[in-house]
Amino acid sequence: MKSVLASAPAPDLHVNYRYMLSWARAVATERPNARILDFGCGAGPAVRAARAMGLPFFGADSFYGGSEARKEVEAAGMLGSAIREIRDGRIDFEDAAFDLILSNQVFEHVEQLDRTLSELSRILKKDGLLVCLFPTQEVVREAHCGVPFLHWLDKKSPDRRSYAASWHWAGSSHDKANKTREQWAADAVEWMDRYTFYRRRPEILREFSRYFSLSPAEDHYLTYRMLQSPLLRPLAPLVRIPPLRAGSRMFCRRFNGVVLVATPVPTL
């Protein structure tokens, strides 16, 4: 993991993608012929950046209706080659195809979690790694619209739109575009209900453990993020001191999400 922390490729990408690409470069250094997949790659920014670095890097996505990513991938000429479309839950790669699978903020969009994990286990080599980062139900701020606690509220509550609108007015929201406060709130709630499936961390660990052995890596991720900031860099070593590690992991789970490093469970 130290080699991951030493790497900071593609500075124009979001820090989550840079973290994932650092994993890719570290694994490629250790395994010169390693193949790497970005599961839930969206429009493919990590795929393009990794291939520019010379890495054998691929992407896969179901291209759900809440995104324009498929059009972008098709326009870039990557659809069906570097990036494959997931159809009927099937990831279009052969068994044991990858040494490393990366996933940045994807699993909160996965409805059929068991089926997806089974597919990832199928295409990952027995000695491969799965590294994923995504928000759970416990995250304080809804990851996509930016409204605190919105995903905690009962879907039957009639007050969710007015609640979201009030946070929009207070400045805590994403993707405002040119919508009125009320329209933005209505769209945000509808999008969240249609395209997110938040689960609690114990449920997630239970489902993952059917296919993978898990190691929490939130402290590793926070260390990486701090090393990217000149202001926070001197404090980065503190995150991984044993007495502070548990607190740093909890902080990350509440404000960013879980970070898991997984290896396949041996099959009989």
Side-chain angles (χ1 to χ4, degrees), residues 4 7-24 38-40 45-47 49 57 101-108 131-135 139 143-144 217-218 220-226 228 252 255-259:
V4 177
S7 304
D12 55 321
L13 290 182
H14 187 277
V15 66
N16 286 2
Y17 280 127
R18 299 203 307 271
Y19 178 69
M20 295 299 181
L21 288 175
S22 293
W23 273 98
D38 182 2
F39 170 69
V47 178
F57 202 100
I101 298 176
L102 303 167
S103 182
N104 174 32
Q105 291 191 306
V106 174
F107 282 97
E108 76 274 20
V131 180
C132 49
L133 185 163
F134 60 99
V139 169
H144 305 92
E218 292 88 0
H220 183 263
Y221 166 76
L222 283 181
T223 300
Y224 180 88
R225 290 200 63 157
M226 294 173 74
Q228 308 310 301
C252 184
F255 293 96
N256 290 98
V258 297
V259 185

Side-chain angles (χ1 to χ4, degrees), residues 60-248:
D61 203 291
S62 60
F63 300 115
Y64 65 97
S67 167
E68 297 293 319
R70 189 183 192 281
K71 293 180 181 179
E72 295 182 43
V73 170
E74 192 169 22
M78 295 189 294
L79 188 62
S81 54
I83 296 176
R84 312 284 178 84
E85 185 168 4
I86 301 170
R87 297 179 182 273
D88 299 322
R90 177 80 175 179
I91 302 175
D92 186 24
F93 289 99
E94 67 275 15
D95 294 357
F98 295 102
D99 298 84
L100 174 65
I101 298 176
L102 303 167
S103 182
N104 174 32
Q105 291 191 306
V106 174
F107 282 97
E108 76 274 20
H109 301 296
V110 173
E111 184 174 10
Q112 296 180 322
L113 185 57
D114 181 79
R115 183 176 182 180
T116 297
L117 293 173
S118 176
E119 271 292 276
L120 292 174
S121 176
R122 178 185 67 79
I123 64 173
L124 184 63
K125 292 181 179 179
K126 292 181 180 180
D127 60 347
L129 287 175
L130 166 64
V131 180
C132 49
L133 185 163
F134 60 99
T136 68
Q137 182 71 30
E138 292 88 347
V139 169
V140 170
R141 193 181 188 197
E142 203 284 320
H144 305 92
C145 70
V147 175
F149 314 114
L150 181 62
H151 57 303
W152 292 12
L153 302 181
D154 191 325
K155 289 186 177 182
K156 297 180 181 179
S157 171
D159 300 324
R160 287 192 303 157
R161 291 185 179 184
S162 59
Y163 174 81
S166 67
W167 280 101
H168 179 285
W169 176 83
S172 181
S173 58
H174 302 325
D175 301 324
K176 297 178 183 179
N178 295 316
K179 300 176 182 178
T180 65
R181 187 162 60 243
E182 291 73 19
Q183 186 60 55
W184 178 90
D187 291 348
V189 169
E190 180 183 1
W191 190 94
M192 184 185 71
D193 288 350
R194 180 177 296 184
Y195 298 117
T196 65
F197 304 92
Y198 284 104
R199 298 173 175 88
R200 294 192 176 277
R201 181 171 173 270
E203 178 187 354
I204 289 165
L205 297 183
R206 184 171 61 250
E207 292 295 323
F208 268 77
S209 295
R210 297 182 61 188
Y211 300 95
F212 301 98
S213 297
L214 300 172
S215 297
E218 292 88 0
D219 53 314
H220 183 263
Y221 166 76
L222 283 181
T223 300
Y224 180 88
R225 290 200 63 157
M226 294 173 74
L227 288 172
Q228 308 310 301
S229 166
L231 181 63
L232 297 177
R233 188 177 298 133
L235 302 177
L238 298 177
V239 171
R240 307 192 74 191
I241 295 175
L244 301 179
R245 181 172 293 176
S248 67

